[in-house]
Amino acid sequence: MLNAWHLPVAPFVKQNQDQLVISLWLTGTSLPERVTLRVEIDNEETPVVMHRGRKPTADGVTVWRAAIDVASGQPRRRYSFKLLWENRQLWFTPQGFSHFPPARLEQFAIDAPDCGPQWVADQVFYQIFPDRFARSLPRGADQDKIYHHHAAGQPIVMRDWDDPLTGDAGGSTFYGGDLDGISEKLPYLKKLGVTALYLNPVFVAPSVHKYDTEDYRHVDPQFGGDEALLRLRHNTRDAGMKLILDGVFNHTGDSHAWFDRHNRATGGACHNPDSRWRSWFSFDENGHARDWLGYASLPKLDYQSPTLVDEIYQGEESVVRHWLKAPWHMDGWRLDVVHMLGEDGGARNNLRHATGITQAAKATQPEAYIVGEHFGDARQWLQADAEDAAMNYRGFTLPVWAFLAKTDLSYDPQKIDAQTCAAWMDNYRAGLSHQQQLRMFNQLDSHDTPRFKTVLGNDIARLPLAVVWLFSWPGTPCIYYGDEVGLDGANDPFCRKPFPWDKKRQDGKLLALYQRMAKLRSRSQALRYGGCLVIYAHDNVLVFLRVYRQQRVLVAINRGEACEVVLEDSPLLRGKNWRLKEGTGTLQDDVLTLSAISASVWSAA
């Protein structure tokens, strides 16, 4: 039997000045006679002869090495291994052995140099829906102002913090959360282990969710206005926290002055064919504006217009650049439905404009973090470097939901075993460079999904398994506000309940788990930077290893009964002093003893 090991991190990859030395570890009784490293030079697959070590290591591992030049060429280095015998060949890729050459985008990939934002992999993000997190006192004159919400056909509804949320007037119901409230709760977030915030939209808009932008240049008075955001920016910087905003550039709200359906200003495009903003929207032959997914209150922006391109991202004073400059100095953007943005009422030339947004942001703030919202496959945008990362629904949230909760995001049944789950997650990661994997935005849920606690239903005992998984899988973890204290909720609006600040309504045991896992991640380079290798996946148990230099972290997820798992012999496990860092169970030699419905974390160096 032949076994192979490689991950795009040390000890398998080491940079020596302008050379990248790449190693493949092999054991078995039928070792290849030759090994070729297949790399890309100017997009052309090129073979590089690998050289075998003089003798096997003390573990019986035969090491093959080759060096590639990284002084020039594209930063993303893609490669795979071709194993050769007298009369046959095998290929080794991130998904294991194959009898035929891998697809170009399913090879190992490492960015050398890595031009992405270097700070992201170290973060624990926290997503805040501003109206529902914390309410500051005293209130400003404009914060509780009642007005008519045209899209809902009614006045907005103001509720007290502890009033129960109902399904009535979901987009028009306000609880009074604001940005100063977030500032006041920064000590709580620091204690939780949070190092970065992602805010749902904060700009002027009539709804509670504020995805119907009315003014991209100012913060909504209900949230405290521009001054409150500036205070929050100063306070987060003093606390050592990053802060990214939500960019809604696919559409505006119909109350935006550019469109002005309700005739609140003059010159809006909706009723005026001669409007200077008419070309910024797309109209059909009957003069009706094309909207987003049938929501008339959300007219689509049309990026055929050069002046719109300048206004949103290209111009020196564009919206994208404005909030990255002084005095705001935001650390990046989450881009709402960025895959749908484009020309002529649709997504034509989408990749060009998505890339343009990212390039404009980087030209203004080189370390800006640009995260795309994609419920589907985001790899087309990531492979083209149109964004730094994506909300990792497809590569993390969906498989975790399927494995632990037996459902998908549509509440359709999806029961999978550990082997299927591992194959799904590994297949998705195989299309991304190692550095991109570390920057993916991992969440258990969000403002657009039910809370995972609610999704679990009768399997609520599995919730801690998902928390451990969130903090230990490649990517930057993001906590949706309230998840850490057991906040529940079905689909919108119920996934947007006010935060329960009364400790009697909080799950203290769950909160402590979040705090421990955040601390464990902050102290482990392997969890933040390491390669990932699934070493066991069968039925109810999935075990994976994070590897970085000499550090190892082993994570075991068991959704079923108590059991023993025998791990395959691996040089990555041998000779290590394993210590249990979280959960229960034992690791003795190659035998894992796991408690029922448990997640366990071991560390070794």
Side-chain angles (χ1 to χ4, degrees):
M1 182 177 179
L2 182 67
N3 294 306
W5 294 271
H6 177 81
L7 292 169
V9 293
F12 298 97
V13 176
K14 297 181 180 180
Q15 188 157 356
N16 183 10
Q17 295 182 338
D18 289 336
Q19 284 194 324
L20 213 57
V21 180
I22 297 175
S23 301
L24 176 68
W25 295 3
L26 296 174
T27 65
T29 55
S30 180
L31 296 175
E33 298 165 9
R34 293 181 290 133
V35 178
T36 298
L37 180 70
R38 298 285 288 188
V39 299
E40 289 184 0
I41 298 177
D42 293 332
N43 295 331
E44 176 70 12
E45 283 200 0
T46 304
V48 177
V49 174
M50 300 194 77
H51 300 282
R52 181 169 47 195
R54 293 182 179 179
K55 59 181 181 178
T57 67
D59 290 330
V61 174
T62 299
V63 180
W64 292 78
R65 293 186 180 90
I68 60 174
D69 178 36
V70 292
S72 61
Q74 300 177 104
R76 185 149 301 141
R77 318 290 171 167
R78 302 187 189 277
Y79 60 93
S80 56
F81 302 94
K82 185 180 184 182
L83 284 62
L84 292 158
W85 292 261
E86 182 179 354
N87 59 356
R88 64 190 179 100
Q89 63 178 252
L90 271 180
W91 293 80
F92 186 67
T93 76
Q95 298 182 81
F97 288 116
S98 170
H99 289 282
F100 55 86
R104 177 175 182 264
L105 298 178
E106 292 187 356
Q107 302 186 75
F108 293 102
I110 186 169
D111 295 332
D114 175 19
C115 301
Q118 299 298 301
W119 55 271
V120 174
D122 289 320
Q123 307 307 309
V124 172
F125 271 88
Y126 194 84
Q127 179 189 347
I128 295 177
F129 194 82
D131 182 66
R132 306 290 163 81
F133 181 61
R135 178 174 182 158
S136 68
L137 293 174
R139 308 285 290 166
D142 292 329
Q143 288 192 263
D144 296 327
K145 185 178 179 181
I146 301 295
Y147 57 84
H148 188 75
H149 185 195
H150 288 279
Q154 65 173 56
I156 66 165
V157 178
M158 297 297 298
R159 288 189 171 155
D160 291 332
W161 198 257
D162 293 323
D163 286 348
L165 185 64
T166 70
D168 299 331
S172 306
T173 301
F174 287 82
Y175 280 82
D178 57 18
L179 301 185
D180 284 330
I182 299 172
S183 284
E184 291 173 5
K185 298 300 184 182
L186 291 182
Y188 163 82
L189 295 173
K190 287 277 285 186
K191 186 176 180 181
L192 176 59
V194 169
T195 62
L197 303 183
Y198 150 48
L199 306 184
N200 286 111
V202 298
F203 304 126
V204 178
S207 71
V208 66
H209 54 74
K210 309 230 174 278
Y211 284 95
D212 47 352
T213 312
E214 194 171 288
D215 185 346
Y216 288 106
R217 304 270 178 182
H218 292 287
V219 175
D220 200 294
Q222 288 169 307
F223 293 163
D226 294 355
E227 296 80 8
L229 182 59
L230 197 56
R231 286 191 290 271
L232 179 60
R233 173 71 285 196
H234 289 156
N235 292 334
T236 51
R237 297 188 94 177
D238 287 345
M241 288 185 179
K242 302 292 186 177
L243 179 60
I244 67 171
L245 299 179
D246 207 326
V248 189
F249 305 132
N250 171 70
H251 53 266
T252 68
D254 64 358
S255 58
H256 198 297
W258 300 343
F259 193 77
D260 195 24
R261 183 188 301 279
H262 311 295
N263 292 307
R264 297 168 59 197
T266 58
C270 181
H271 306 295
N272 182 3
D274 297 323
S275 168
R276 67 188 181 99
W277 298 303
R278 185 77 172 188
S279 66
W280 292 15
F281 301 90
S282 182
F283 294 84
D284 64 19
E285 61 276 5
N286 297 316
H288 298 136
R290 294 185 172 92
D291 55 45
W292 181 68
L293 297 182
Y295 293 98
S297 62
L298 303 176
K300 282 267 292 185
L301 288 167
D302 189 346
Y303 285 83
Q304 285 187 104
S305 168
T307 52
L308 175 67
V309 169
D310 278 347
E311 172 67 19
I312 295 296
Y313 69 84
Q314 192 63 60
E316 189 57 38
E317 300 303 321
S318 65
V319 173
V320 167
R321 296 175 188 261
H322 172 78
W323 296 99
L324 300 176
K325 295 179 179 180
W328 311 101
H329 296 296
M330 294 300 162
D331 294 299
W333 288 99
R334 178 263 194 187
L335 301 178
D336 184 59
V337 292
V338 65
H339 53 287
M340 301 184 75
L341 176 152
E343 300 175 2
D344 196 28
R348 185 159 61 88
N349 287 327
N350 169 267
L351 202 57
R352 184 177 64 162
H353 295 294
T355 303
I357 291 173
T358 296
Q359 290 176 341
K362 304 286 188 181
T364 307
Q365 212 279 66
E367 284 287 291
Y369 179 41
I370 309 300
V371 186
E373 181 201 22
H374 302 267
F375 274 91
D377 189 344
R379 287 174 295 185
Q380 175 184 351
W381 290 265
L382 295 167
Q383 289 158 352
D385 291 315
E387 55 203 32
D388 293 313
M391 298 182 76
N392 202 13
Y393 290 109
R394 182 61 64 92
F396 180 79
T397 313
L398 278 166
V400 169
W401 278 36
F403 184 66
L404 295 180
K406 299 172 289 189
T407 187
D408 65 11
L409 292 175
S410 301
Y411 274 126
D412 292 325
Q414 189 174 30
K415 186 176 180 179
I416 62 175
D417 60 16
Q419 186 174 3
T420 303
C421 183
W424 180 349
M425 298 177 88
D426 281 349
N427 173 267
Y428 197 78
R429 289 193 304 121
L432 306 176
S433 75
H434 173 66
Q435 287 83 358
Q436 286 179 311
Q437 293 178 37
L438 299 181
R439 285 191 275 265
M440 291 297 279
F441 204 75
N442 293 342
Q443 292 179 281
L444 295 175
D445 46 36
S446 74
H447 66 291
D448 283 326
T449 74
R451 299 268 181 174
F452 187 55
K453 179 180 178 180
T454 297
V455 173
L456 283 168
N458 293 331
D459 291 318
I460 189 66
R462 296 177 176 179
L463 181 55
L465 282 60
V467 176
V468 171
W469 209 339
L470 175 67
F471 282 89
S472 52
W473 194 253
T476 184
C478 181
I479 306 164
Y480 182 42
Y481 81 97
D483 275 359
E484 75 278 12
V485 295
L487 195 59
D488 61 2
N491 275 311
D492 173 24
F494 299 104
C495 57
R496 304 174 182 181
K497 293 179 180 178
F499 190 102
W501 288 108
D502 182 352
K503 290 189 176 181
K504 295 177 182 178
R505 298 169 56 201
Q506 297 180 4
D507 184 337
K509 187 176 180 181
L510 183 63
L511 175 60
L513 174 62
Y514 270 92
Q515 290 172 325
R516 291 196 306 273
M517 287 305 302
K519 184 177 292 185
L520 180 59
R521 187 177 187 276
S522 71
R523 293 176 175 177
S524 171
Q525 289 185 314
L527 288 179
R528 301 197 311 277
Y529 314 135
C532 181
L533 181 67
V534 175
I535 60 174
Y536 183 92
H538 180 71
D539 196 10
N540 293 317
V541 179
L542 189 147
V543 183
F544 59 92
L545 194 63
R546 299 295 302 276
V547 176
Y548 187 73
R549 296 176 179 165
Q550 298 306 311
Q551 296 182 25
R552 310 281 186 270
V553 174
L554 186 144
V555 182
I557 307 291
N558 176 23
R559 70 180 182 187
E561 301 296 325
C563 63
E564 281 192 351
V565 169
V566 179
L567 303 175
E568 290 188 5
D569 184 44
S570 169
L572 293 174
L573 298 174
R574 292 190 212 119
K576 296 294 183 181
N577 181 21
W578 293 98
R579 296 181 179 180
L580 184 65
K581 294 293 187 178
E582 179 60 45
T584 59
T586 61
L587 174 56
Q588 186 66 38
D589 297 326
D590 59 353
V591 178
L592 270 175
T593 304
L594 303 176
S595 304
I597 312 180
S598 65
S600 308
V601 182
W602 285 266
S603 178

